[in-house]
Amino acid sequence: AETAPTVEDLMTDIVGRLQQYLPHYNWVGFYMIEKSLLPGVDPVLVLGPYVGAPTTHTRIPLNEGICGAAVTTGDTVIVDDVNSDPRYLACSLETKSEIVVPIRMKGEIVGELDIDSHDAAAFGDEDRTFCEFCAKLVGEYLERTT
Ligand code: SME
């Protein structure tokens, strides 16, 4: 019997297809929030499925990076020129712009979709709408399966 796809399978599909079909999406990945069971240990964003150049940023505190900003503001963050944004944590020297979209499960942010482009200002209104839709697919999947 075939086993049902996991949320990891869904995320792997999404990052692969986004990078394959959208040439300006050069690095595409998910970060999920990991909460510690130990008191006083802050939650952290942990890198999940991704495509693109390997990154040293596999664990990001919520008070760091564009990635942290999307969680703490609770909203999509679009940065047209990453090198002029003091929050930016560099992964690839080729990256010029970035979009980060929170993923919600029953209203609570549980992770995010992060995309880097080698083009400056690569992400507009259509990208925002589309990426928010992709993030919603993952959130709804989590709601149905966990
Ligand atoms: N640039 C991100 C870090 C993750 S890499 O883009 C893959 C940030 O500033 O949070």
Side-chain angles (χ1 to χ4, degrees), residues 91-110:
C91 287
S92 161
L93 292 176
E94 289 182 289
T95 297
K96 302 282 193 312
S97 60
E98 180 163 0
I99 183 171
V100 186
V101 181
I103 296 168
R104 283 189 173 74
M105 190 178 159
K106 293 172 186 150
E108 189 193 344
I109 297 178
V110 294

Side-chain angles (χ1 to χ4, degrees), residues 27 31 55 57 60 65-67 87-89 91 98 114 116:
W27 189 97
Y31 284 92
T55 173
H57 298 293
I60 303 176
I66 314 287
C67 286
R87 299 170 299 182
Y88 177 62
L89 296 171
C91 287
E98 180 163 0
D114 177 18
D116 292 351

